[in-house]
Amino acid sequence: MRPVKNAAGQYHVCFVCTEEADLLPRADGEGGDLEPVGVDLGIESLVTLSTGEKVGNPRWFENEQERPRREQQKLSRKEKKGLGGLSNNWERQRKRVAKVHQRIQDRRKDFIEKLTTRLAHDFDVI
């Protein structure tokens, strides 16, 4: 077990454990046929399934482009060096920039994890 600190100043603990994995129940019960689905990754629609369903690309960075730009601009205007090393204002703003980027990264990760969980739950073969 070890603590990890990211650029935004958030702490996480990483640890490894061993557990017996249970198989997921089949989507259509034990007696039926397997329900397969094909997945095509794209740019306009993030995922297109063989069932015809399209999952749109949320474009997290493009939708929130103003805030990272503004925070980065504030950082570039701060004086980097103080008397004893890095200035407190520069370091504080650097953490704000990192938090903005971390938020976008977390939203992307959450969206992908929810999508893959739904696919694994709804279909037998991917």
Side-chain angles (χ1 to χ4, degrees):
M1 182 168 78
R2 66 186 185 111
V4 179
K5 181 180 177 183
N6 65 12
Q10 299 169 331
Y11 286 94
H12 303 277
V13 177
C14 297
F15 59 93
V16 178
C17 60
T18 306
E19 185 176 323
E20 194 66 34
D22 295 331
L23 295 176
L24 292 174
R26 290 183 48 181
D28 59 349
E30 287 298 320
D33 294 332
L34 295 175
E35 186 176 357
V37 67
V39 178
D40 180 38
L41 302 177
I43 295 174
E44 272 306 309
S45 61
L46 183 65
V47 174
T48 303
L49 303 178
S50 60
T51 59
E53 179 185 355
K54 290 186 177 185
V55 178
N57 191 350
R59 300 189 188 276
W60 300 116
F61 189 76
E62 287 82 356
N63 291 342
E64 294 193 14
Q65 193 172 12
E66 183 62 27
R67 186 154 183 230
R69 185 189 68 78
R70 191 175 348 111
E71 295 297 332
Q72 185 66 44
Q73 193 173 47
K74 288 179 187 176
L75 177 65
S76 69
R77 292 179 179 151
K78 302 284 184 198
E79 188 172 328
K80 191 171 183 177
K81 293 259 183 181
L83 294 175
L86 297 176
S87 69
N88 289 335
N89 285 337
W90 185 86
E91 186 61 29
R92 195 175 303 129
Q93 187 62 35
R94 183 197 63 79
K95 285 185 181 179
R96 284 189 191 126
V97 170
K99 282 182 182 179
V100 169
H101 286 288
Q102 186 68 42
R103 181 172 184 259
I104 294 170
Q105 180 182 349
D106 289 344
R107 291 179 71 191
R108 282 180 176 158
K109 185 178 177 184
D110 181 61
F111 180 78
I112 293 296
E113 286 178 354
K114 286 178 180 176
L115 177 64
T116 55
T117 301
R118 184 176 65 92
L119 290 176
H121 183 265
D122 292 347
F123 298 101
D124 296 317
V125 179
I126 299 175

